[in-house]
Amino acid sequence: MAGGKLSARQKMINLMYLVFIAMMAMNMSKEVLSAFGLMEAKFASSNLATTDRNETLLADLERKSEEKPEEFLVPAAKAKEVSNASEKFYNYLETLKNDLLKKGKYTIDPETGKLPFEAMDKTDILDEAWFTGDRFTKKGDEVMANIESYKAEIRRILGEDIKYKKALESFNDLFNTDKVPNKDDKKIEWLNYHFQGFPAIASFTKLTAMQNDVKVTEAGMMNLFLGNVLTDAVSLNKYQAIILADKSAFFAGEKFQGRVVIGKYAKVPPTGLSIGGQAIDLEKAIDSTGAARLDFSVGGVGEHEIDGKFTFLEDGKPLEIPIKGNYVVVPRPNSATISADKMNVVYRGVTNPMTISFAGVPDNKVQANGAGLSRGSGMGKYNMKPTAGREVTINVTATLDDGSKVSDKAVFRIKDIPKPTGKIVGQSDGKLPRNNVEIGKVEAILEDFDFDLPLTVTSFKFKVPGQPSVTCSGNRLSGAAKAALRKAKRGASVQIFDIKSRNSGGPAIKPATPAVIELAN
């Protein structure tokens, strides 16, 4: 720990580690525990003071960002992000300290405001909460996850800017959680090395010291952002990469074409602005950055040009800067594509209507094919008449404006037409007069079926209790069936079953469910 000129804070940290080592070689005396307590109090006091300074620095940056946004807006935004991330992690460390006090049943003296340093000698509080065998507990994993999350957030805020490289290196060193070699030169996890087996006051002090690291990091970042703004003002960092697209809308699969230039907004107020020959009200159009906002009705579907000019006063003479650009108008969507993932079903033997389209591609450049699929009438309309198999795949190919092709596919399950319901005189059960049954028409009805598919009954069987069943052709009772019906007693239940039917030009239909009728007379 020697070598070089150390700051007072680093000397304090080094002293803490020396005390750690000393505690390994001696019994934990009250004096040693009190030393940790005094050290924790100093860190806590430093944290309060640093918090006040950080708030002042942040307020100064925010004020400067309003006065000189071109110089301080970005640094102030980064400082705010650092402040939020640091506060979140600082508060999390505070919850760990509170948990330690609660589990150890330690209370702060209400008169002195101090912890019971000499009584905080337990070593099993965090050992049981954070460690199990050679692994972390769920809580231990949570602690490491929060540390890594804070580190990742600070790295994201600083990014890859070369100006922040040294600050990032210092931050990574300060919050280095790599494995650490123990006294046997065996590398162990960072969390084990710093917290396992230590008395409660040592762990509590370590957490406060880590909070101090957070506050010091925050202060360093604030000063970094404040100290770099003058350099930024004369460097290319004050310029922006501005993308100038050849058009403001592109179709899927189309190549993006445009230019990237380095520039920045001019704060010089223009004396005139016109678009398409129409003068624009400067008071409403120019924002705080010097940019002009355009607000006009677009033309019809297709590509359109923007033609105008900016007028400035330079050397007492008007200077015109041409405005050139274009934009693309695409049709406003008026329908949504909604599908039930488990309901991709088509029925065998019927014409299944389908709508097939490819987003952003006209219908005449979309091709779809599949077994039994044919073009229908209308934009994107198709008809599917599946035959053999249990599945059918529909492949769709679209040709983009640049001639390239994209494709997709969907798989549909093929189902047979469901079993129809057998009926006579519109009833499948219940009571009917004998005469109604004798002259009634037998039907096979597809109830709750999505398609209007009329079926013609070709044959059925008729059964009267105590008599043999009679096979009938067509959809009405034969003479033999009528004779059997006349012999049936009042209240008897007659059955019409094995009802066979067909659809013109369609596949075989399953026999309908039987109809059971009680004779009312």
Side-chain angles (χ1 to χ4, degrees), residues 393-409:
T393 300
I394 297 178
N395 297 288
V396 184
T397 302
T399 303
L400 303 181
D401 291 344
D402 60 1
S404 62
K405 295 182 182 294
V406 290
S407 59
D408 199 359
K409 65 179 181 179

Side-chain angles (χ1 to χ4, degrees), residues 182-197:
N182 62 8
K183 61 181 180 180
D184 300 323
D185 205 32
K186 177 183 177 182
K187 287 189 175 182
I188 63 175
E189 295 293 341
W190 178 90
L191 197 65
N192 299 75
Y193 183 83
H194 286 277
F195 290 96
Q196 191 172 27

Side-chain angles (χ1 to χ4, degrees), residues 20 100 126 194-196 198-208:
F20 285 166
L100 190 152
L126 293 190
H194 286 277
F195 290 96
Q196 191 172 27
F198 288 98
I201 185 59
S203 297
F204 193 92
T205 302
K206 178 64 178 176
L207 290 172
T208 305

Side-chain angles (χ1 to χ4, degrees), residues 406-426:
V406 290
S407 59
D408 199 359
K409 65 179 181 179
V411 178
F412 288 79
R413 289 176 294 143
I414 301 175
K415 283 190 173 184
D416 293 328
I417 296 172
K419 181 190 289 286
T421 300
K423 294 186 177 184
I424 183 170
V425 196

